[in-house]
Amino acid sequence: MFAVLEAKRAGLLGRQHWLANIIAGIVVGIVALPLAMAFAIASGVKPEQGLYTAIVAGIAVSLFGGSRIQIAGPTGAFIVILSGVVAQHGVDGLQIATLMAGVILLLFGLARMGAVIKFIPAPVILGFTAGIGVIIWVSQWKDFFGLPEVQGVHFHEKLWQLLQVLPQLDWTTTLLGIASLLLVVFTSRIPRMSRVPGPLCALVLITIVQAVFHFESVATIGSTFGEIPRGLPSFEWPAITLSRLVELIGPAFAIAMLGAIESLLSAVVADNMTGTRHNSNQELVGQGLANVLAPLFGGIAATGAIARTATNIRNGGNSPIAGVVHAILLILVLLFLAPLASNIPLATLAAILFVVAWNMSNLRHVARMVQRTPRADVVILLVTFFLTVFADLVVAVNIGVVLAMLHFMRRMAGSVVVHQQDTHSLQKELAQDGIVDVPQGVLVYVVEGPFFFAAADAFHKALSKAHADPKVLLIRLGHVPFVDATGLEALEEAIMTLQGRGIRVILVEANDRVRAKLQKMGLISKLGSDNFSSSLAEALAGL
């Protein structure tokens, strides 16, 4: 159900809730203002495009998402992907990729993929978010220190060149950057200033300083991008061609996957803070709609913003009204205050992104995981981190997920137990069915756990421990919850091998799901109905 309809059903659109949500929306809008411009600039586009994104996505997700308290807009996690797309395909390529990503997200939501995406392992998420944090931090050195432009495709190349030109820093820019950073971090700790957003305080005060003194060596929004246009963006359909669609499918899928992960993480955080439950599939639909609309109005990729959503909740927001009000505030800024942004120093926006990068890196959580979690999870985290930093975010996430899957399969393989049932426990069990003893030359093996390829290996190892081949081998499948195609093929191969050695194989106690798979695979017909039984007692009675 749409967030706005869910809020209406919960009675949260009533007049008694308006004031709290309006106040929360204003606070979130104030927080979003500097962040939207900073994220846009870091992504390689103009600052106003970040504001356009926050407006369009903020309204779309608030009304049509799956969480009534989610705040959407441009986020730091996208910087690495978006800046790479802009560098390779241009701003128009980014907008086409974003539109495609929106369609992919819509399809994810309609296909009910929300629950699946939430299962991406924590080490992978921590690894790539920490890696993104490091990349953002280093990428802002140029603006924070007033360094000359550097070249380089890869992270290590840019880092090395930045270190080489670091002695050429502009002291005026650096001092403004340090002052901005101190204001961002410590404003909330000043008495009577705890509710004033640090980024806004830094933005206003340092901009006033630059407007008064006009430091010529300090790069500003005006000197770099020109004046932010006053007014709302116009609708513009991008020039889409088949060749552009083909070359941008990779970036589009990367944007969609990252957007889905971050938006659902943000929704989960919101649920934990409020005790609500979001609809993950509807959230993907809302995010898809936002990413389809944003580039049509000059915006870039958007997703659920954890920090802004948390700010919304802390200030009393409990319905989509807050998200819409936050967008309206940004509209008013564009209409009436846009020219004032010309004097905003890029060093101030870099300082804001320094703090964003620190929060994204989540170093305390990473350190705790490295110290306390199993070694395999630590390896997955570190591999994802280093691939994110030194290779590519998409490659990092893909390899991280594959490693996590392989680790999971290894653990599942360890959970499969195949053993010969000892005579004492077997006789005790059969005595209840009136069977005194097990016939000579009959062995009973028990399979416990999901039957996939690893079960066949465990089965062969268990059988090899027998001193001589039995005449009849009964395989108990009562503790097998499911069997996959690979497991079926492995089981069939093992049975054929045993039969080739003159051993009669009987499968017993398979549940309905496993029996249906055996039937579909044709294994029951190959064995013969007399070699398939619903109980151990029945199988022994037929010998």
Side-chain angles (χ1 to χ4, degrees):
M1 181 178 291
F2 295 160
V4 67
L5 297 180
E6 178 65 23
K8 182 178 180 180
R9 191 178 68 174
L12 296 173
L13 299 184
R15 190 168 298 177
Q16 67 273 22
H17 296 286
W18 287 6
L19 181 60
N21 282 282
I22 290 173
I23 292 174
I26 292 172
V27 173
V28 174
I30 291 171
V31 172
L33 176 62
L35 291 176
M37 291 190 292
F39 292 146
I41 293 172
S43 299
V45 298
K46 295 180 179 180
E48 61 265 26
Q49 292 183 267
L51 297 176
Y52 299 159
T53 306
I55 292 169
V56 176
I59 294 175
V61 172
S62 293
L63 296 180
F64 303 107
S67 171
R68 59 177 182 256
I69 45 183
Q70 178 88 285
I71 302 295
T75 65
F78 276 135
I79 290 174
V80 177
I81 294 179
L82 303 192
S83 59
V85 175
V86 171
Q88 187 173 356
H89 303 283
V91 176
D92 58 334
L94 172 60
Q95 292 179 322
I96 295 172
T98 301
L99 196 154
M100 293 169 64
V103 174
I104 294 171
L105 285 168
L106 282 170
L107 294 176
F108 280 171
L110 296 175
R112 310 186 70 81
M113 294 286 289
V116 176
I117 293 172
K118 289 191 295 186
F119 292 147
I120 293 179
V124 176
I125 293 174
L126 276 178
F128 80 72
T129 53
I132 291 171
V134 171
I135 294 173
I136 293 173
W137 176 57
V138 173
S139 70
Q140 295 306 302
W141 287 12
K142 173 186 170 295
D143 291 334
F144 188 87
F145 296 110
L147 301 175
E149 196 75 41
V150 298
Q151 302 297 322
V153 177
H154 301 291
F155 173 82
H156 65 278
E157 295 172 341
K158 294 179 181 179
L159 176 61
W160 177 244
Q161 291 188 34
L162 285 169
L163 290 173
Q164 287 182 314
V165 300
L166 193 58
Q168 301 177 36
L169 62 83
D170 178 72
W171 280 106
T172 305
T173 302
T174 302
L175 290 174
L176 287 181
I178 293 173
S180 301
L181 185 60
L182 292 175
L183 287 170
V184 172
V185 174
F186 293 107
T187 295
S188 60
R189 304 182 189 182
I190 300 174
R192 299 183 181 180
M193 295 282 286
S194 59
R195 298 183 69 87
V196 177
L200 178 69
C201 184
L203 190 73
V204 172
L205 293 181
I206 303 302
T207 300
I208 291 174
V209 171
Q210 175 62 23
V212 171
F213 293 99
H214 293 289
F215 300 113
E216 293 185 3
S217 62
V218 174
T220 64
I221 286 180
S223 65
T224 307
F225 301 99
E227 186 175 293
I228 292 180
R230 179 182 293 179
L232 298 178
S234 58
F235 178 90
E236 185 175 349
W237 186 261
I240 299 176
T241 62
L242 181 59
S243 60
R244 292 289 266 170
L245 293 177
V246 172
E247 71 181 11
L248 290 168
I249 186 63
F253 191 79
I255 292 170
M257 285 299 298
L258 187 56
I261 293 169
E262 189 169 10
S263 64
L264 294 179
L265 281 176
S266 179
V268 169
V269 170
D271 288 347
N272 293 336
M273 293 179 69
T274 61
T276 58
R277 284 188 63 121
H278 74 281
N279 184 322
S280 57
N281 297 311
Q282 185 60 47
E283 181 63 23
L284 292 180
V285 170
Q287 296 292 340
L289 184 61
N291 282 281
V292 168
L293 293 175
L296 299 180
F297 289 93
I300 57 176
T303 186
I306 296 176
R308 275 160 275 172
T309 299
T311 301
N312 179 35
I313 295 169
R314 292 192 192 102
N315 286 276
N318 61 4
S319 80
I321 294 174
V324 174
V325 169
H326 126 274
I328 292 174
L329 179 69
L330 295 177
I331 291 174
L332 295 175
V333 169
L334 276 174
L335 292 177
F336 301 106
L337 301 177
L340 300 180
S342 295
N343 287 310
I344 297 176
L346 297 186
T348 299
L349 298 179
I352 293 172
L353 289 179
F354 272 11
V355 177
V356 170
W358 170 261
N359 292 333
M360 284 190 65
S361 63
N362 210 349
L363 290 181
R364 293 179 182 175
H365 194 177
V366 171
R368 188 162 58 248
M369 178 167 281
V370 169
Q371 292 173 354
R372 300 179 182 178
T373 56
R375 186 178 302 172
D377 289 329
V378 174
V379 170
I380 292 169
L381 188 155
L382 294 177
V383 167
T384 306
F385 171 79
F386 285 113
L387 285 175
T388 300
V389 174
F390 294 103
D392 179 78
L393 175 62
V394 179
V395 172
V397 173
N398 288 340
I399 292 180
V401 170
V402 169
L403 288 176
M405 290 173 61
L406 291 174
H407 175 52
F408 174 75
M409 290 167 64
R410 187 180 68 83
R411 292 176 62 186
M412 288 289 289
S415 70
V416 178
V417 178
V418 182
H419 63 89
Q420 180 182 347
Q421 190 165 357
D422 63 89
T423 305
H424 178 71
S425 65
L426 194 56
Q427 288 177 340
K428 186 176 180 180
E429 180 181 346
L430 294 174
Q432 300 175 359
D433 297 309
I435 299 176
V436 178
D437 205 353
V438 180
Q440 190 70 24
V442 175
L443 290 181
V444 179
Y445 274 75
V446 181
V447 182
E448 299 177 355
F451 205 112
F452 60 120
F453 62 89
D457 184 58
F459 177 77
H460 284 303
K461 288 181 179 178
L463 190 62
S464 65
K465 295 179 181 179
H467 297 295
D469 285 349
K471 295 180 180 178
V472 180
L473 180 67
L474 286 89
I475 303 176
R476 305 185 70 174
L477 303 175
H479 296 290
V480 176
F482 65 87
V483 59
D484 69 355
T486 308
L488 285 169
E489 291 181 357
L491 178 61
E492 180 181 15
E493 181 182 346
I495 290 174
M496 295 301 105
T497 301
L498 291 168
Q499 287 182 335
R501 287 157 49 186
I503 302 172
R504 180 184 177 187
V505 180
I506 304 176
L507 303 180
V508 299
E509 301 176 335
N511 62 38
D512 292 340
R513 180 187 296 180
V514 173
R515 184 187 182 105
K517 292 287 182 68
L518 294 172
Q519 182 75 46
K520 188 174 182 180
M521 189 73 176
L523 197 53
I524 293 179
S525 61
K526 288 182 180 179
L527 277 174
S529 58
D530 56 338
N531 290 326
F532 190 89
S533 182
S534 59
S535 70
L536 180 63
E538 178 185 308
L540 289 173
L543 294 178

